[in-house]
């Protein structure tokens, strides 16, 4: 049964990844070292304690049917429970290795479902998923002080359970084989327990979209195997700990939409595999690290909505792999650095609502991948250096409005003048900005969005599958 399912796993994961940007998963089978399980199933020979534990879990979570009566052999092909995977152990018993609740085709969760801490009594369990499962009855992530799944559990994924509340318990440290911990989109609150950071096997940690408070513990630097770290959309305070620079193989860092203060720690320059960083919507200020240009794997730098109030650093122009650079609503001053025109792979540049002055660098018109350029609501001036080809390509994704000093070279064809900027020398003043009709969106926009989304996710799909 399971020797044939790794492909369908990969496909399932691929589809999940496509629909859920912040969801990480691993084809666990590939990393399957302990416990040693035999591939040939003997489905009727289930460990009686595990069988009874499974019935109790099912009764706590699902009321689809009376599982004891209708499906007394959970692992037996033909009458196997949905959302369960089993493996033959070397002890000649069959063991449950994976449980999946809430998603399509898996057991649905009843309104009175609560978190079944019995799962931690299943000694061969490797992966558990509860998606949109605890929705009506308040429940908490409780982990008993002694657990038998400690050495086997590699993936715990609890997502979109709005009735899952309370803190992350310190006993989380018992799950010392965890590689993937996803606690996203629940109602968890309280501080992130220091004990979480003893889980040094973690590859992906996702705590996003909860109500976690306090600071990001310094101990985060102990998670040396982390590839993805997401703590976005909480209410975390304090500064980004400098120990973050110890996460040497980190590829994705998302701390956006918190209350973080201070500046980006200089140690971040050590993260030279980082592909994606999002720090938007915090209270970060001050200077960028001197070694910013060392982050030369970066493709996405998203840092809108922070009180920066400094000149735009030219070092961004050295991050040649950048595809998206978002620095809007952050009080940036000075001119748009000439170095930005070297970012040949840039597809999105968002600099709107800052205090930028001077001319638009001519070289921006040579960025052949760009499809979204927002420079609106600054104090830019001079002649817009784009030709009609550029205007047509970007269509409504080009926004230059709210820069009273900008104007268009009057000799350009008039049908391109649909971007909210007046014609130089018209209406009495050389740099008079005159309101213009909205244009149609560029026909390629939908494709580009899709392409771009695929690019963001593609990085992870390639990595994980
Ligand atoms: C796996 O189980 C089969 C059937 O019971 C047995 O013949 C084989 O020796 C087992 N393999 C291992 C590695 O235990
Ligand atoms: C730009 O993108 C292309 C296509 O995705 C890629 O082959 C190339 O290596 C990228 N350039 C840089 C500097 O990363
Ligand atoms: C540009 O930014 C402004 C201000 O945030 C926003 O209102 C506008 O919709 C953006 N334009 C485009 C084309 O994204
Ligand atoms: C305006 O357009 C004319 C004709 O294409 C060109 O000669 C001139 O250099 C342009 N001026 C600027 C500032 O781009």
């Amino acid at each position: 049964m399971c020797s044939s399912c790794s492909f369908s796993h990969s496909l399932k994961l691929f589809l999940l990844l496509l629909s859920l940007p912040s969801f990480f998963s691993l084809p666990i089978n590939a990393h399957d070292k302990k416990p040693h399980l035999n591939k040939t199933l003997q489905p009727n020979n289930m460990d009686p304690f595990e069988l009874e534990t499974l019935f109790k879990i099912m009764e706590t979570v699902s009321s689809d049917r009376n599982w004891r009566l209708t499906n007394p052999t959970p692992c037996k092909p033909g009458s196997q429970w949905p959302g369960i995977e089993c493996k033959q152990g070397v002890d000649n018993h069959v063991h449950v290795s994976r449980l999946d609740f809430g998603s399509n085709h898996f057991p649905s969760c009843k309104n009175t479902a609560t978190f079944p801490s019995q799962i931690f009594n299943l000694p061969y369990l490797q992966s558990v998923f509860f998606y949109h499962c605890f929705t009506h009855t308040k429940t908490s992530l409780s982990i008993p002080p002694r657990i038998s799944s400690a050495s086997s559990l590699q993936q715990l994924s609890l997502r979109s359970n709005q009735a899952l509340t309370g803190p992350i318990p310190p006993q989380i440290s018992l799950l010392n084989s965890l590689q993937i911990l996803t606690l996203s989109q629940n109602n968890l609150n309280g501080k992130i327990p220091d004990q979480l950071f003893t889980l040094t096997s973690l590859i992906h940690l996702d705590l996003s979209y909860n109500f976690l408070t306090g600071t990001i513990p310094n101990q985060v630097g102990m998670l040396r195997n982390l590839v993805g770290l997401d703590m976005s959309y909480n209410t975390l305070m304090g500064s980004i700990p400098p120990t973050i620079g110890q996460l040497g193989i980190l590829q994705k860092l998302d701390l956006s939409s918190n209350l973080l203060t201070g500046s980006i720690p200089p140690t971040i320059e050590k993260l030279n595999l980082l592909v994606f960083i999002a720090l938007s919507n915090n209270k970060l200020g001050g200077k960028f690290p001197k070694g910013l240009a060392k982050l030369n794997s970066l493709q996405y730098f998203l840092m809108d909505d922070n009180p920066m109030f400094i000149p735009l650093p030219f070092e961004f122009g050295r991050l040649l792999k950048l595809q998206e650079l978002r620095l809007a609503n952050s009080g940036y001053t000075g001119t748009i650095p000439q170095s930005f025109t070297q970012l040949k792979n840039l597809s999105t540049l968002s600099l709107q609502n800052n205090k930028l002055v001077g001319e638009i660098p001519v070289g921006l018109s040579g960025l052949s991948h760009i499809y979204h350029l927002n420079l609106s609501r600054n104090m830019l001036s001079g002649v817009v250096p784009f030709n009609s080809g550029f205007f047509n390509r970007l269509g409504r994704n080009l926004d230059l409005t709210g820069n009273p000093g900008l104007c268009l070279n009057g000799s350009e064809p008039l049908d391109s003048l649909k971007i909210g900027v007046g014609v130089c020398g018209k209406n009495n003043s050389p740099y008079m900005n005159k309101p213009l009709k909205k244009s149609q969106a560029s026909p390629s926009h939908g494709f580009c969005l899709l392409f771009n989304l695929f690019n963001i996710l593609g990085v992870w799909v390639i990595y994980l599958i």
Side-chain angles (χ1 to χ4, degrees):
M1 170 88 208
C2 266
S3 53
S4 66
C5 63
S6 77
F7 169 72
S8 72
H9 268 179
S10 300
L11 194 66
K12 221 182 292 168
L13 289 167
F14 180 80
L15 294 173
L16 271 170
L17 279 160
L18 279 183
S19 58
L20 308 162
S22 61
F23 178 75
F24 292 105
S25 201
L26 259 188
I28 284 288
N29 291 340
H31 298 253
D32 185 1
K33 288 196 199 81
K34 56 184 172 175
H36 181 221
L37 295 168
N38 195 323
K39 297 276 191 216
T40 323
L41 279 184
Q42 297 186 348
N44 296 318
N45 190 12
M46 186 154 200
D47 181 296
F49 172 77
E50 276 187 62
L51 183 62
E52 182 55 29
T53 306
L54 269 180
F55 285 132
K56 285 193 178 131
I57 292 170
M58 233 25 175
E59 284 156 9
T60 310
V61 175
S62 183
S63 59
D64 287 357
R65 55 192 114 157
N66 185 333
W67 298 89
R68 279 180 203 267
L69 293 178
T70 58
N71 303 59
T73 48
C75 294
K76 186 179 180 184
S79 66
Q80 185 172 6
W81 288 5
I84 196 171
E85 271 179 27
C86 308
K87 287 183 181 173
Q88 179 80 37
V90 286
D91 59 0
N92 272 330
H93 278 123
V94 70
H95 300 290
V96 56
S97 59
R98 176 177 166 130
L99 287 172
D100 229 313
F101 289 92
S103 312
N104 283 348
H105 314 303
F106 298 136
S108 60
C109 301
K110 57 185 179 183
N111 283 354
T112 54
T114 52
F115 180 72
S117 33
Q118 299 98 322
I119 58 169
F120 299 115
N121 295 332
L122 296 169
Y124 296 86
L125 195 62
Q126 294 179 328
S127 317
V128 191
F129 300 82
F130 290 99
Y131 172 69
H132 201 69
C133 186
F134 315 113
T135 50
H136 290 77
T137 306
K138 216 171 138 178
T139 185
S140 63
L141 171 54
S142 52
I143 303 177
R146 283 169 192 281
I147 62 175
S148 45
S149 63
S151 62
S152 62
L153 196 62
Q154 296 176 2
Q155 176 156 17
L156 176 61
S157 184
L158 300 166
R159 264 190 341 108
S160 288
N161 301 289
Q162 66 255 35
L164 185 69
T165 182
I168 302 171
Q171 291 87 347
I172 194 93
S173 63
L174 294 172
L175 307 174
N176 55 23
S177 296
L178 273 189
Q179 295 180 358
I180 300 177
L181 178 59
T182 304
L183 300 175
S184 176
Q185 300 163 57
N186 299 303
N187 228 319
L188 298 171
N189 51 40
K191 294 184 174 179
I192 304 173
D194 291 347
Q195 289 88 343
L196 176 65
F197 301 101
T198 63
L199 300 176
T200 50
S201 298
L202 278 178
I203 297 172
H204 287 291
L205 175 60
D206 183 356
L207 306 177
S208 62
Y209 292 91
N210 281 289
F211 295 91
L212 298 171
T213 53
T215 57
I216 302 174
N218 278 322
Q219 289 95 320
V220 72
M222 291 161 63
L223 302 180
R224 303 288 166 91
N225 291 307
L226 270 193
V227 171
L229 175 60
D230 191 345
M231 297 183 171
S232 62
Y233 291 88
N234 280 288
T235 47
L236 298 170
M237 305 192 308
S239 50
I240 302 171
T243 51
I244 207 112
Q246 295 165 13
L247 306 179
I249 60 170
L250 199 65
Q251 293 182 27
K252 174 186 169 175
L253 176 61
D254 193 345
L255 302 176
S256 53
S257 294
N258 278 292
L259 303 168
L260 299 172
T261 51
S263 47
I264 302 175
T267 52
I268 205 149
E269 70 177 53
K270 295 182 192 150
L271 305 183
N272 58 357
L273 298 180
L274 205 59
V275 172
F276 177 102
I277 187 170
L279 301 171
S280 298
N281 196 21
N282 276 293
K283 302 192 179 308
L284 297 168
K287 291 200 169 69
F288 281 97
K290 279 203 177 69
L292 180 65
K294 293 185 186 165
L295 296 172
N296 55 14
S297 299
L298 267 186
Q299 295 177 20
Y300 299 87
F301 193 103
L302 315 181
M303 200 178 165
D304 298 319
D305 300 288
N306 279 284
M308 297 302 287
F309 300 103
I310 53 169
L312 278 181
F314 72 90
E315 284 92 343
F316 277 115
R318 310 255 302 270
L319 304 176
L320 296 181
K321 292 189 175 158
L322 273 186
Q323 294 179 25
E324 280 197 37
L325 181 55
R326 295 181 183 266
L327 300 167
N329 310 325
S330 300
Y332 288 107
T333 57
T335 57
I336 300 174
Q338 203 61 43
S339 64
F340 282 28
T341 65
Q342 293 161 22
L343 300 173
K344 297 298 180 198
N345 273 4
L346 207 58
S347 63
T348 295
L349 179 59
S350 298
L351 299 175
Q352 70 271 20
N353 208 12
N354 284 300
K355 298 172 185 304
L356 301 172
V357 297
E359 298 190 356
I360 299 174
V362 177
L364 286 188
S365 62
L367 300 180
S368 57
H369 288 91
I370 206 146
Y371 81 93
H372 197 146
L373 177 59
N374 199 340
L375 304 177
S376 71
R377 302 174 71 191
N378 280 290
M379 295 176 292
L380 299 166
S381 58
V383 179
V384 173
F386 306 134
N387 61 23
S388 54
F390 191 90
F391 291 134
N392 289 336
R393 184 153 62 84
L394 274 73
R396 212 186 263 183
N397 296 321
L398 174 64
D399 196 340
L400 305 175
T401 54
N403 290 284
L406 279 182
C407 70
L408 287 165
N409 192 341
S411 57
E412 288 294 340
L414 268 174
D415 66 353
S416 70
L417 310 182
K418 294 174 178 171
I419 50 160
V421 175
V423 177
C424 305
K426 295 274 170 67
N427 299 343
N428 309 324
S429 149
Y431 290 158
M432 185 72 188
N433 189 345
K434 151 182 123 177
L436 290 144
K437 290 183 296 187
K438 294 233 158 103
S439 77
Q440 300 296 316
S442 151
S444 63
H445 178 215
F447 170 76
C448 287
L449 249 183
L450 202 65
F451 177 74
N452 203 43
L453 188 67
F454 183 79
N455 263 345
I456 296 180
L457 300 170
V459 172
W460 307 109
V461 171
I462 288 163
Y463 178 75
L464 294 169
I465 291 185

